[in-house]
Amino acid sequence: EALADSRERDAPAFAASALAVLSRALRRAGEEAAAREAREEGRRLLEDAAARIENAEARADFLARPAHAGLREEAAPAGDTARLLTLYDMIRVLNSTTDPERLLESILDLALGAVGAERGMILLRDEERAPGDEFTVRLARNLEQATVRDAEGYSRTIVAEAGAGRSFLAVDAGSDPRFRDLASVSLFGIRSLMCVPLRSRGRIIGTVYLDRRQGGRLFRPEDLRFVEAFADHAALALENARARSRLELENRRLQEAARTRTEFGRIAGRSPGMQQVFSLIERYATSDLPVLISGESGTGKELVARAIHDHGPRRDRPFLGENCAAMPESLLETELFGHVRGAFTGAERDRPGLFELAHGGTLFLDEVGDMPLSMQARLLRVLEDGEVRRVGADKTATVDVRVLAATHRDLQAEVRAGRFRLDLLYRLQVLCIEIPPLRERAADIPLLVAHFLREISRETRQPGREIAPEALSLLVRYAWPGNVRELESAVRRLALLAGEGPITVGLIESDPALARTLAPGAEARQPAISLAAAEREQLERALAAVGGSRTAAARLLGISRATMYRKMRRHGL
């Protein structure tokens, strides 16, 4: 019916496919003459269909389709030339497929069609499985589930041979004693089978299993040789496709990592919490609304405020800041709002406050939670009206200032305790950013350490310092109650102690304060009298006595200059 319909519609390609199926059916029925006649007509129609394709490359791709491989192989002239032409067509199909899963399907379908096999499997090596059980079925065609399960056990028979690099051929499997214990051979009438290794660059990566049932012709040695030649090309194509897939996956991973911002201004971090902070900075920077930045002391609240200013439309205008907890109320008032001449003793001239000086820009109020209640009222008035009045003045001045505030306190709790105005809180926390403490983002510590070491190198104009992995582990394990500020101080101290040498565990343990903080067990491990400590002390004394000259210090200690340099590096001097 398919053949008749294809002829009626003048569709020679479909007619050729129908004749290929008819040819296989006739051959299985023992009608070889009729099968040969159907194959010849199918080949003629296939060539007719190809002739209608003007583009030579498209025509070649059409003829190389897996669906046509069996017809072309069966219809081609007998002999080595026909096999070579078929192999060439099959290799072209392999080389045009880059997806590993689709390539597996092409390999199996091409192998089935090339030798007229009815059923087949591809088994691939799993390096993580135990020897003798490392091959697992990845793809099967026309196999019953029981046979597939049986194939998992072939590692002791058929696949073991191919997995060792030896092809396997059973011309008549039913009478072969090697398959006496395999129920699938007799149950499903398997007449002839073969299994060949998939070998790539000297390594067996899998096997191809093919079989025929009763009624079909038996596999011949030349069939095995042909599949062996094809399998070598197939294995190489599969390895190349896998490598390409891994590279594409790694490329996507690297692109994703590149999209992950690790620094924003002078802030460093790749943890999810800091990625959220970076995202909020970017979104809030374009607005003029107040931002309340909360976080423990030392988390970098001022850096966040600076980043918001630097990435917004006010970046070219002033950025001024004041710590509201650092000065008494009277001084804070004049600092923020200014004063006129004679407003109080010592006010000898008019002086603008920070609100006026920051006009058009940004004012950062650090530790706003420590601001006295009377000052809170004045701040609220500025936020509501956009006007400031200097201390002792009768007139107000209009200001255009974006206010960024920061606090380490829980302002909701401060409101409940009566120490902070609720209406001011509403004005300040229109937008909010909460910076996570360093103990909750320990994975950022290596990035922060590298960031600080680069800054130190730039400031001192000296080569970048290195930190030993073991020393970095001590920094990562510590809880850092002082957060990033404490970490930066420790890194700067270690960099100074290290001199031109690396930062090591020994260097950390040699400093009593750092040892107690970062390596609390170090003191217990130190002997009561330390030869290393005594040597370091003598080196330091000698350097101090000669004003830091290494050559003179070496002469004073009675050692060579090279020995002096080596000992200084050992002790981080």
Side-chain angles (χ1 to χ4, degrees), residues 481-495:
N483 292 292
V484 180
R485 184 185 296 123
E486 183 186 6
L487 173 63
E488 181 178 9
S489 297
V491 171
R492 289 185 175 277
R493 181 171 180 169
L494 288 168

Side-chain angles (χ1 to χ4, degrees), residues 211-379:
D211 72 27
R212 282 175 170 163
R213 299 203 228 188
Q214 303 289 351
R217 72 175 180 85
L218 302 176
F219 290 139
R220 300 185 298 268
E222 53 265 33
D223 294 324
L224 179 66
R225 288 194 296 272
F226 179 81
V227 175
E228 286 177 328
F230 167 69
D232 286 343
H233 290 285
L236 183 60
L238 182 59
E239 283 289 90
N240 289 340
R242 283 171 154 182
R244 179 190 178 99
S245 181
R246 286 193 296 269
L247 287 173
E248 289 176 346
L249 181 64
E250 179 65 12
N251 188 41
R252 287 194 296 271
R253 188 191 68 78
L254 291 174
Q255 288 178 344
E256 185 64 32
R259 285 193 291 269
T260 300
R261 189 193 297 263
T262 58
E263 293 192 8
F264 203 116
R266 294 185 59 234
I267 315 165
R270 63 164 56 93
S271 62
M274 291 308 296
Q275 293 300 307
Q276 175 70 8
V277 169
F278 294 164
S279 176
L280 292 176
I281 291 173
E282 238 172 0
R283 289 161 58 188
Y284 294 171
T286 58
S287 170
D288 271 338
L289 296 172
V291 181
L292 180 63
I293 306 165
S294 58
E296 296 179 5
S297 295
T299 49
K301 296 186 287 294
E302 184 172 355
L303 292 179
V304 170
R306 170 65 76 171
I308 293 173
H309 172 79
D310 289 345
H311 289 79
R314 297 174 180 261
R315 66 176 67 88
D316 296 326
R317 304 297 296 169
F319 175 88
L320 303 176
E322 185 58 67
N323 189 325
C324 299
M327 58 179 60
E329 180 179 351
S330 58
L331 289 179
L332 180 62
E333 184 179 26
T334 59
E335 188 70 19
L336 293 179
F337 306 113
H339 60 78
V340 297
R341 181 180 179 184
F344 51 83
T345 303
E348 298 177 353
R349 58 184 177 85
D350 291 353
R351 182 176 181 273
L354 292 177
F355 271 100
E356 291 182 74
L357 293 173
H359 179 70
T362 303
L363 180 59
F364 173 58
L365 300 177
D366 197 8
E367 299 303 348
V368 71
D370 295 290
M371 181 180 285
L373 283 168
S374 59
M375 286 294 297
Q376 293 177 30
R378 291 204 62 181
L379 175 59

Side-chain angles (χ1 to χ4, degrees), residues 7-27:
R7 284 171 170 165
E8 183 179 344
R9 296 173 184 271
D10 190 25
F14 290 103
S17 298
L19 284 164
V21 176
L22 177 61
S23 172
R24 289 196 294 271
L26 289 170
R27 190 181 59 189

